[in-house]
Amino acid sequence: MTVSGGASVVLGAQWGDEGKGKLVDVLAQSADLCCRAAGGNNAGHTIVANGVPYDFHILPSGLVNDSCISVIGNGVVVHLPSFFSEMDANIKKGLKVDPTRLKLSDRAHLVFDFHQLCDGLNEGELGRGSLGTTKKGIGPTYSSKASRSGVRVHHLFRWSEFEVLYSKCLDGMKKRYSFEYDAKEELERYKILAERVRPYVIDTIPYVHKAIANKKNVLVEGANAIMLDLDFGTYPYVTSSSTGIGGVCTGLGIPPRKIGQVYGVVKAYTTRVGAGPFPTEQLNSIGEHLQTVGHEYGVTTGRKRRCGWLDVVVLKHSHALNDYTSINLTKLDILDQLPEIKIGVAYVHNGVKYTDFPADLEKLAESTVEYETLPGWMTDISKCRRYEDLPPNCRNYVERVEALIGVPIEWIGVGPARDAMIEKKL
């Protein structure tokens, strides 16, 4: 399995938590660069390598491969205390992380503690209509960025300018949310952090472009997923960045013609964390089964994930936006003990069937789901390593999903371990 032909991209095709990190880990074994383009430490991947689980939130999970250099692009927002806390925790587990292996864009925006405070205050204002944010300060930081009052990494190295910009950013947030804050303490911390982060900071745009020009294998790992995209997701129950292929271009400075393969990661059922529409959600024993057997708890928040059947309307919308080359279908083994399996294939509103995902969430709430029902396989597939080894009903499910989405499935996840991945010949 190799990465080639321009930058290869791994994207979440649903509401996140699809298992992108595992495919990134597999592809990163032959990658020279592994890059993050958007989001912050609100993302979460768990990689199991040599029996050791590594949790990644802000750091690219390509760090698990010793020969791969990781890049955090300009579109990412970075909370430096969390950046170093995550780094130190993974170093203690044996991961090698130093400035030769990790590069941080000088254009990336900084998340401050007051952004995290404002994230919580904003949720409090919304009350029952809250968005289910991770309260990591990501939204308020992108708000600062969009209002041109944000602070970027390179400002750390002109300290007098940094202090002025920091104060302006904080003042803007205090006017909006009315809170007391100890700016002096945070500034003292950042003076120390500035020197610690300095060796990691570069202009990542020419760095990535040079790698592509030199035919290096460049891999981009998406954060969150397309249904949480600020424009194309279930707004306002979304994240604050562009989570699709467009966000890769703007978040790393890669033009579209420098993009090669685009891999969509699809869980064999559907989950989402937090509030927002979820047409195929199962608030019954099926949902409980998927949640329990699938260990559906958020890596970043620890919150239980809501669970339901696979939704092809969502996946067609996702494919239309990202144009997947192929699909990685994950956690197929979680369906092993279900006697029958449903796939949502269309929505019905006021008696009219439709298959395009709507912008209007009220219409979505008023819609019902049309399902196809397939027989289950009632067999443990976790030891299967060839496509031919899967039970016939299992292969039928995979091939029906392929046909409904219109994209070939290239990889199938059958367990959490690194080797529990079947590569299906296209």
Side-chain angles (χ1 to χ4, degrees), residues 328-347:
N328 172 202
L329 187 68
T330 66
K331 301 188 81 167
L332 187 60
D333 55 305
I334 305 307
L335 305 182
D336 281 354
Q337 300 308 314
L338 296 174
E340 63 178 29
I341 300 165
K342 293 185 178 182
I343 303 173
V345 294
Y347 301 155

Side-chain angles (χ1 to χ4, degrees), residues 161-230:
E161 181 185 8
F162 174 83
E163 288 182 304
V164 171
L165 293 171
Y166 171 91
S167 297
K168 286 182 178 178
C169 187
L170 174 58
D171 287 346
M173 286 289 163
K174 287 170 80 171
K175 286 175 183 175
R176 167 67 180 84
Y177 292 101
S178 299
F179 58 93
E180 295 298 320
Y181 195 75
D182 185 356
K184 183 180 178 182
E185 187 275 334
E186 187 163 46
L187 282 169
E188 288 173 354
R189 276 193 295 134
Y190 269 77
K191 201 159 193 175
I192 297 168
L193 288 169
E195 292 312 308
R196 187 176 179 191
V197 80
R198 188 190 290 270
Y200 296 89
V201 178
I202 65 166
D203 183 350
T204 56
I205 297 171
Y207 187 83
V208 173
H209 275 254
K210 184 178 178 181
I212 294 172
N214 290 338
K215 308 298 183 186
K216 298 291 186 181
N217 290 334
V218 177
L219 177 64
V220 182
E221 61 169 303
N224 310 119
I226 193 64
M227 296 309 293
L228 296 173
D229 186 272
L230 186 58

Side-chain angles (χ1 to χ4, degrees), residues 29 73 95 172 178 189 202 205 235 286 291 295 321 334 340 376:
Q29 300 311 303
L95 202 65
S178 299
R189 276 193 295 134
I202 65 166
I205 297 171
Y235 186 89
I286 295 295
Q291 189 179 79
H295 304 289
L321 296 166
I334 305 307
E340 63 178 29

Side-chain angles (χ1 to χ4, degrees), residues 361-391:
L361 301 191
E362 291 302 316
K363 178 181 179 181
L364 195 59
E366 294 164 359
S367 298
T368 57
V369 181
E370 181 179 296
Y371 289 101
E372 280 189 16
T373 302
L374 283 74
W377 44 92
M378 302 297 290
T379 304
D380 180 4
I381 63 169
S382 64
K383 301 295 189 294
C384 296
R385 294 296 179 267
R386 299 184 310 154
Y387 185 66
E388 297 75 20
D389 296 336
L390 295 173

